Amino acid sequence: SAVISQKPSRDICQRGTSLTIQCQVDSQVTMMFWYRQQPGQSLTLIATANQGSEATYESGFVIDKFPISRPNLTFSTLTVSNLSPEDSSIYLCSVWRDQETQYFGPGTRLLVL
Amino acid sequence: GENVEQHPSTLSVQEGDSAVIKCTYSDSASNYFPWYKQELGKRPQLIIDIRSNVGEKKDQRIAVTLNKTAKHFSLHITETQPEDSAVYFCAASKGGSYIPTFGRGTSLVVHP
C-alpha cells in the first residue's frame, strides 16, 4: 500500500485568490496524479505529474489554472488559481504502486465563496 | 480512448441481500479492472481487482466477474451489511503507463 498525506484537508477561499495543495507520499513513486471530485460525481483526472518533467494535463484543464510542481519523487503540489465558486470541489492526489494499483490521498475540500 | 459505463447509479438493498454493480468498457486492450469503495467523506480505497487472464475473483463477501468477450465486469456483494453503504467505482486500464478510466460511481445504501 501507500501512505499519502495532503495539506490542507479543507479550506475556504475567496474568489480570485489561489490555493496550493500539498501531497506527500511515504516512498518514492514515478507518477503522481491529481484528481478533482465534484459533489456526488466521479473522479476526474486533472493531470499527471512526473518528476523532472512538465505535468501532462487532461482535456479541459490548463497549466495556467492548475499549475503543478513535482520537485522530487515523494512530493507534489497542485495550485488552483484565480478561484471561482465553480472550483469548489474535493481535490485528491494519487499514486501508483504494484504496477497498476492506485492509491488516493485523503483529499482537500475546497469551498470558494 | 477508453469509455467505462457503470450501472446502476444508485442501489438500495436490505441488509442480508446481495448487490450487483455492472460496468462495461470500450477498449478491448484493457486488461486490469479495479473496484474502489468510497465511504462518505473519505478517500476511494481499492477493495478488489481482476486481470484479464481470469474470469472471477473472490474475497470473502465480495466477488468480481469479468467477461472479456462482452467487455463487461461486475462487482457482487453478498450478505450486505450497513457498513457496505458507500459509493463504488469501477475502472478499466490497459496497464503499464495507461491511466485507469473510472466509471461514474454507484451509490449503495444498505438498509438495516
Side-chain angles (χ1 to χ4, degrees):
Chain A
S1 65
V3 177
I4 307 171
S5 60
Q6 279 183 240
K7 287 194 292 188
S9 58
R10 58 179 67 232
D11 208 341
I12 301 173
C13 299
Q14 297 296 320
R15 67 174 68 205
T17 63
S18 298
L19 176 69
T20 296
I21 303 167
Q22 300 178 7
C23 180
Q24 180 76 50
V25 189
D26 64 335
S27 60
Q28 295 182 347
V29 292
T30 304
M31 300 174 79
M32 295 179 74
F33 308 92
W34 287 98
Y35 285 84
R36 182 174 72 184
Q37 187 175 31
Q38 294 178 309
Q41 301 296 313
S42 187
L43 300 154
T44 301
L45 182 64
I46 298 171
T48 302
N50 292 329
Q51 194 267 337
S53 63
E54 293 280 335
T56 302
Y57 289 83
E58 297 299 302
S59 176
F61 298 95
V62 296
I63 188 171
D64 289 347
K65 175 69 175 177
F66 299 97
I68 288 171
S69 76
R70 183 78 201 273
N72 58 53
L73 292 173
T74 63
F75 186 80
S76 178
T77 68
L78 168 74
T79 298
V80 189
S81 304
N82 190 23
L83 289 167
S84 69
E86 293 72 35
D87 295 319
S88 297
S89 190
I90 299 172
Y91 293 86
L92 297 129
C93 71
S94 174
V95 303
W96 266 348
R97 283 281 170 81
D98 309 326
Q99 297 180 309
E100 298 118 332
T101 306
Q102 201 158 5
Y103 296 93
F104 290 89
T108 296
R109 294 178 175 273
L110 170 61
L111 176 62
V112 183
L113 302 177
Chain B
E2 176 69 275
N3 182 46
V4 177
E5 299 281 342
Q6 184 172 347
H7 299 281
S9 57
T10 60
L11 181 58
S12 181
V13 300
Q14 289 297 127
E15 183 176 1
D17 288 350
S18 295
V20 181
I21 303 169
K22 299 181 180 180
C23 289
T24 60
Y25 59 99
S26 61
D27 192 337
S28 57
S30 290
N31 57 16
Y32 176 63
F33 307 92
W35 286 88
Y36 290 83
K37 175 183 180 182
Q38 186 176 29
E39 297 178 18
L40 188 63
K42 298 191 176 180
R43 74 187 81 188
Q45 292 197 302
L46 180 73
I47 55 171
I48 195 168
D49 56 13
I50 190 168
R51 299 181 190 278
S52 60
N53 57 346
V54 297
E56 183 176 5
K57 183 176 179 181
K58 289 183 179 179
D59 183 3
Q60 298 182 333
R61 297 186 295 108
I62 293 174
V64 57
T65 59
L66 171 65
N67 183 327
K68 287 184 61 180
T69 303
K71 289 190 283 189
H72 69 69
F73 56 111
S74 300
L75 178 71
H76 305 253
I77 306 174
T78 58
E79 300 173 22
T80 54
Q81 300 168 6
E83 50 265 39
D84 294 328
S85 297
V87 177
Y88 292 81
F89 294 98
C90 64
S93 167
K94 290 190 280 191
S97 61
Y98 290 96
I99 301 165
T101 300
F102 285 87
R104 297 177 68 87
T106 296
S107 177
L108 172 65
V109 176
V110 180
H111 298 281

